Amino acid sequence: VQGWPAEITKAADMAERISRALGRDYGSYLAVGKDGSGGDATESIRWSLCQVSSRAIAGRESYGSLRLVPILDMVNHDGEAGKFVELTGEERLEKGDFLDAEEDDAGAFVLRSRRHGRKKALRRGQELLANYNVPFYSPLDWFLNTGYIPPER
């Protein structure tokens, strides 16, 4: 935790600079406020940046390195669950993959219910979980990018 306050301040300052710059450049194009009357767009842009940065899923650069994938961002983390799998379009059952993919499927994400590396059938009402683990993330990286630190870190 030593040094975190300075790093958090640097991240907040950078986010603020980005929000202000975007607000200055694009604020006049955005309807801000409940009545759409305009105003300073910085707060709305700041909120939007937080939503994207805390929910984006990293993938291959050729398909866009950060993507918002509807529904997947609602799946909670568990260190023993399966990971998100990004398809290449070359997956085949006969090669041991879990589906036959086509070229058009490349870049799509798949999440299967797994626990400790094995398939796990879900019961009605049971939550689907995913292992968000990014091996090179430090606890500070976790906090700045997702807003929390998983217990196993």
Side-chain angles (χ1 to χ4, degrees):
V1 179
Q2 188 172 358
W4 278 35
E7 291 301 314
I8 292 170
T9 299
K10 284 194 311 192
D13 289 345
M14 177 59 77
E16 187 62 25
R17 282 197 307 270
I18 292 168
S19 297
R20 287 185 189 278
L22 289 171
R24 187 176 52 252
D25 293 346
Y26 301 102
S28 62
Y29 300 103
L30 301 173
V32 180
K34 292 181 181 169
D35 62 0
S37 61
D40 183 14
T42 302
E43 181 62 31
S44 295
I45 292 171
R46 184 182 306 115
W47 177 87
S48 300
L49 290 172
C50 288
Q51 297 302 305
V52 170
S53 68
S54 67
R55 289 167 172 77
I57 297 172
R60 290 185 184 85
E61 184 70 36
S62 56
Y63 303 107
S65 58
L66 280 180
R67 289 172 260 162
L68 289 178
V69 181
I71 308 227
L72 284 187
D73 68 314
M74 295 172 59
V75 176
N76 287 320
H77 169 78
D78 185 308
E80 302 302 327
K83 297 182 179 190
F84 297 109
V85 176
E86 184 179 15
L87 300 180
T88 64
E90 298 177 9
E91 290 81 7
R92 298 291 175 266
L93 289 169
E94 60 265 10
K95 292 189 329 188
D97 295 318
F98 57 89
L99 59 82
D100 283 327
E102 298 177 11
E103 186 177 346
D104 288 347
D105 297 324
F109 283 97
V110 174
L111 177 61
R112 299 184 306 156
S113 179
R114 299 184 70 77
R115 194 87 176 145
H116 303 287
R118 294 187 301 271
K119 293 180 198 176
K120 181 180 187 307
L122 293 176
R123 295 183 309 274
R124 173 179 264 167
Q126 191 173 8
E127 182 178 19
L128 176 63
L129 300 168
N131 184 342
Y132 283 19
N133 195 8
V134 180
F136 55 86
Y137 263 23
S138 70
L140 178 60
D141 292 326
W142 273 95
F143 182 72
L144 291 175
N145 289 288
T146 65
Y148 78 102
I149 303 167
E152 66 271 14
R153 298 308 264 167

